[in-house]
Structure formats: C-alpha cells, structure tokens
Amino acid sequence: MTGVEPVVAQAELDRMTKAVGREMVRAAGQGWTRVRAEYRSVGRHVEADLLVTGPDGVARPVRPPAEVVDGLARLRAGMYRPGRGTWIGAVYEIEPPGTFACEFDPDVEPTWRRVPPPVGFVDELRSFPRSEEFIPDWFRARAGMPPAISAETQSAGTPPHGIPLPPATPPGGQPAAQPPQGPPVQQTPPYGPQGGRHAAPPPPWENPAPSGGPGRHAAGPGRPPASGPRPFGPPGPVDNNGR
C-alpha cells in the first residue's frame, strides 16, 4: 500500500532487526557459516525455527532462544500498516562477518507445521486489521470467510455466491416462467479441519505457541510488496558489539 508507513518508525525497526540478529549470532555459537531464522504467525499461533550451518555446509536445527522468538514477534507488530496488515511469514539469514537479508511476506501462505485453527486467522484480523482488498483468498478460506466479491461482479449487480437475480417482469405482464431451481448449494471452504500442507514432524522442543508448534518455512518464501516503503531495514552488519 503506497504511502502507508509502519506503526513504528523505520529507524526503530532497523534497531529491532539488528537486535534480533545479534541474538541469532549468539545462539549459533562458534564456527558458523550461516544462521537462519524462520517465523510464521497468525493471531496467537506461532511457529519458529533457528538453523545453523557449520563449516561442513550442513544446516542443523538449534532451539530458538526466547530473545529471537519474542524479538520477531515485536518486529511483526511494529511493522503493521493500517489497512494493509503485517507479515505472516519471515526468513532472516546472516552470513559472516555479519551481513544479513530479511524477507517478510504478508500475503503468501507459508507451509505450516500445524495448520492454525480458524480462530487464529480471525484473531489476526482483530489484532492487525486489513482492508478487504488485502485479505487473500486462502486467508478467507482459513478464517471461514465468504469469498471476496470482484469489482466486476459488484458493478454488474450480481449478488455474491452466484445467487441468481430475481426475474425481470415484462411491462404489463407476468414474470417470465423460470426453470425449476434445485436445492441451494451450501458453500464450504476448500480446507477442512485436516486440510492444508504439512511439513516434516516437529523437532523435539515446543516453541511458545498457545495454539500450535514449531515448524519449517516453505521453500522459496515470498518477498515484500514492490510498492510502498520498504518494510525492513537496509542490509548491514550484525555483530555482538551492538553495531
């Protein structure tokens, strides 16, 4: 959404981003060649992972410290844009000597380890309200919301869900005969209680998530919108000296 700033100033978001990066580096220990944090959340459902790559090139899971999980949660709240919402999935990678890259996606559904219940998506809209045009179809289905009505449909005067309009009455006559209508078809969201994509079994720890557990992010996370202010800080060093 062009011209709509995050609720927290960009300078503060940059500081928060680097603070999370320092905690990631601290948790990685010695000899790391890459550290990667993955975070997914709607409402109170939270999934987080921390992967550390060593000199052998193998990425291994490390229990994400509370400072990383809580810091990303604060960053997600601070990056909310009125009417636009905030990101749902994020990937944060750091390589020596401390350069980093962040990807935040507000619209593409991540691969949940455990698909959040509908109340999680409803709570998301309460906490971070979105305008109708910024609620993706997959989000509507997860929340149990009706499908969006296109502008073309509205301008044509067609009611939602494909309900036929009342028959027109010819001048001075009776309504034209209409073919018998069958019973109404109840629309069901395309995802059932067990729907959605599932990742590998969870690691042996549980992240602080009231309605879900930890999980891996989908391959190839999306990128932030091309228009509008950048929702994350510029690339720069992240080290343990607060720079």
Side-chain angles (χ1 to χ4, degrees):
M1 177 180 292
T2 304
V4 179
E5 297 287 346
V7 296
V8 174
Q10 187 63 52
E12 177 63 11
L13 293 176
D14 292 345
R15 187 198 66 78
M16 295 166 64
T17 301
K18 292 184 178 182
V20 171
R22 287 193 295 272
E23 296 299 332
M24 290 167 57
V25 170
R26 185 174 291 113
Q30 300 295 323
W32 60 277
T33 60
R34 176 181 296 172
V35 58
R36 174 185 175 101
E38 302 175 354
Y39 188 97
R40 297 158 303 282
S41 179
V42 288
R44 292 180 294 173
H45 181 98
V46 176
E47 300 178 357
D49 292 286
L50 190 64
L51 302 173
V52 178
T53 302
D56 58 359
V58 177
R60 295 178 174 86
V62 174
R63 179 167 183 162
E67 292 81 2
V68 171
V69 178
D70 295 343
L72 288 170
R74 288 191 293 270
L75 192 61
R76 191 171 96 91
M79 292 168 67
Y80 169 70
R81 298 181 185 180
R84 181 64 181 87
T86 189
W87 51 268
I88 294 171
V91 174
Y92 188 164
E93 287 190 335
I94 306 174
E95 295 183 352
T99 56
F100 70 94
C102 302
E103 295 178 347
F104 304 99
D105 203 312
D107 298 323
V108 176
E109 182 176 22
T111 297
W112 307 101
R113 187 172 297 280
R114 297 171 183 154
V115 178
V119 67
F121 296 91
V122 174
D123 286 344
E124 177 75 8
L125 293 178
R126 290 197 185 107
S127 300
F128 305 111
R130 294 181 176 222
S131 301
E132 283 290 319
E133 66 268 29
F134 292 114
I135 304 178
D137 290 340
W138 67 266
F139 192 111
R140 291 177 174 275
R142 293 292 192 201
M145 301 171 62
I149 307 172
S150 67
E152 294 79 6
T153 299
Q154 294 184 43
S155 62
T158 304
H161 313 306
I163 301 174
L165 291 169
T169 302
Q174 297 296 323
Q178 297 293 320
Q181 299 292 327
V185 178
Q186 181 179 3
Q187 295 210 353
T188 304
Y191 302 99
Q194 304 299 324
R197 298 162 290 168
H198 294 272
W205 62 79
E206 287 293 331
N207 291 318
S211 60
R216 294 290 306 279
H217 194 282
R223 297 185 181 276
S227 62
R230 288 204 315 162
F232 52 87
V238 175
D239 56 33
N240 288 317
N241 296 319
R243 295 190 293 271

